[in-house]
Amino acid sequence: MEPVEIEAKTLIQKSKTPSNDYVINPYTGCVLGCAYCFASFAGRQFGRSVTEWGDYLYVKKNAVELARKELARMPQEKRRGTMLLSSVTDPYQGHETRYRLTRGILRELLAVEYPGLVRILTKSPVVTRDIDLLTSLPRAEVGMTVTTADDKVSRWLEVRAPLASRRLRALAELRDAGIPTYAFVGPLLPHFATQPELLDDLFGQLVDAGVTEVFMEHINLKRYIRERMDQVLGEEPEDVREAYLQARTKEHRERLDVIVAELLDKHGLRLRFEEVVHHDDNDALRQRLASSA
């Protein structure tokens, strides 16, 4: 799949996600194409349907130049905000090794000694390439999405993403470099409700990789996401399909919340935001964060 190079008009955007002030998405689309990804709506500006998620990538070839210009215009008081790379794409998907946009943007943030927190969220071990820049920034942290410790499950739902085992090794490498890390266990896979030992194993391996804090979300099964998930689940056994059907219920989420709380305590892990986030509750979460700031 050959990416399409485009000229973007803007780059640094105000964030709509909790705890982030600004967001940078160097790419539109994501070739990892994870079945459950909420960002599958992102290509609609280019006429792409949610079923095409993973089959296109638009490269903002002027992203580094835009970062330089927009950071230069940003008032000093606004530079204290948290900058996220990225929210609706993976900043370290495979084509980053060719285009090096994320690395270039980090260089621009370093050039102005950006004092706010620079937060990375990725599924890719390619992030370790930029350890030199991340350790030089005034404040940086890396979140690695790890939804399972089972490579077979990660290959099923995250067909083109790096294997879970490779992500866990990347977390350990970042820890050894002195970079603060966290794990994004999102989505919280429905089958953990009936097989909590699998989540227990995941938490144990995260701790072994140096993780002390996790951000967790219940799976988002809005209609446009179910269109893609149905394709993946179509040939699965009935009990698997039933687990994903039950995941839409409040009872299922409450059962998982109890399991998560017990296992977090067992492994000594902190839960970011002090709750497993559910997408329908995001507005309430933002209000709580704003009132505590």
Side-chain angles (χ1 to χ4, degrees):
M1 191 273 297
E2 187 64 23
V4 179
E5 297 181 357
I6 61 172
E7 291 272 351
K9 294 181 179 179
T10 61
L11 186 72
I12 302 175
Q13 304 287 338
K14 288 186 177 180
S15 175
K16 297 180 180 179
T17 58
S19 83
N20 301 304
D21 299 289
Y22 308 105
V23 63
I24 293 177
N25 290 294
Y27 307 95
T28 296
C30 181
V31 299
L32 302 186
C34 300
Y36 53 70
C37 187
F38 83 97
S40 52
F41 65 83
R44 59 190 175 193
Q45 61 179 304
F46 298 105
R48 300 286 192 168
S49 71
V50 295
T51 58
E52 294 178 273
W53 184 246
D55 296 331
Y56 63 85
L57 183 70
Y58 294 87
V59 178
K60 300 174 184 178
K61 62 180 183 179
N62 60 331
V64 177
E65 178 185 355
L66 283 175
R68 184 181 309 120
K69 292 179 177 178
E70 293 177 11
L71 285 169
R73 293 196 301 263
M74 184 179 286
Q76 192 64 35
E77 65 272 14
K78 291 191 175 182
R79 291 184 184 179
R80 292 192 293 267
T82 296
M83 186 80 68
L84 172 67
L85 285 91
S86 299
S87 61
V88 292
T89 190
D90 194 307
Y92 286 103
Q93 58 189 295
H95 288 85
E96 169 62 17
T97 60
R98 169 183 171 186
Y99 288 99
R100 300 170 71 85
L101 296 183
T102 298
R103 183 169 178 84
I105 292 164
L106 290 177
R107 283 187 181 277
E108 297 304 324
L109 289 163
L110 181 58
V112 300
E113 297 183 340
Y114 188 81
L117 177 63
V118 176
R119 175 176 289 150
I120 304 293
L121 180 58
T122 182
K123 283 189 175 83
S124 174
V126 174
V127 66
T128 60
R129 176 202 65 186
D130 291 343
I131 282 176
D132 60 328
L133 298 178
L134 293 166
T135 54
S136 299
L137 284 163
R139 297 176 62 205
E141 72 170 7
V142 175
M144 184 71 69
T145 301
V146 190
T147 56
T148 176
D150 185 337
D151 283 343
K152 291 181 180 179
V153 175
S154 70
R155 182 56 69 230
W156 172 54
L157 290 173
E158 306 161 339
V159 179
R160 291 175 226 144
L163 291 173
S165 57
R166 185 64 189 90
R167 293 179 233 169
L168 289 163
R169 290 199 299 272
L171 279 167
E173 188 175 343
L174 293 162
R175 171 204 60 198
D176 292 345
I179 298 169
T181 63
Y182 68 96
F184 177 35
V185 184
L188 187 56
L189 299 181
H191 65 268
F192 289 151
T194 55
Q195 301 177 71
E197 68 276 7
L198 300 179
L199 185 59
D200 189 7
D201 180 47
L202 172 58
F203 282 177
Q205 294 199 42
L206 289 174
V207 170
D208 288 345
V211 171
T212 59
E213 186 176 31
V214 293
F215 172 28
M216 304 186 73
E217 282 188 352
H218 288 291
I219 192 167
N220 185 340
L221 289 175
K222 292 181 179 178
R223 184 186 298 269
Y224 76 95
I225 299 172
R226 295 203 308 272
E227 288 181 23
R228 302 188 69 251
M229 284 297 300
D230 286 347
Q231 298 175 14
V232 175
L233 293 169
E235 298 182 2
E236 293 302 311
E238 183 177 352
D239 61 325
V240 174
R241 297 198 305 271
E242 180 64 21
Y244 279 81
L245 182 62
Q246 291 300 316
R248 297 167 58 186
T249 67
K250 181 179 179 181
E251 292 75 17
H252 173 89
R253 294 193 298 272
E254 289 176 344
R255 185 162 63 251
L256 266 179
D257 285 343
V258 171
I259 292 169
V260 167
E262 293 174 349
L263 292 176
L264 288 172
D265 184 64
K266 173 183 175 180
H267 292 280
L269 285 165
R270 294 191 305 273
L271 180 60
R272 187 165 286 196
F273 305 139
E274 299 181 350
E275 66 177 301
V276 181
V277 176
H278 180 229
H279 277 262
D280 289 347
D281 297 331
N282 269 351
D283 289 340
L285 176 59
R286 290 192 193 97
Q287 290 173 6
R288 289 199 299 278
L289 289 171
S291 63
S292 63

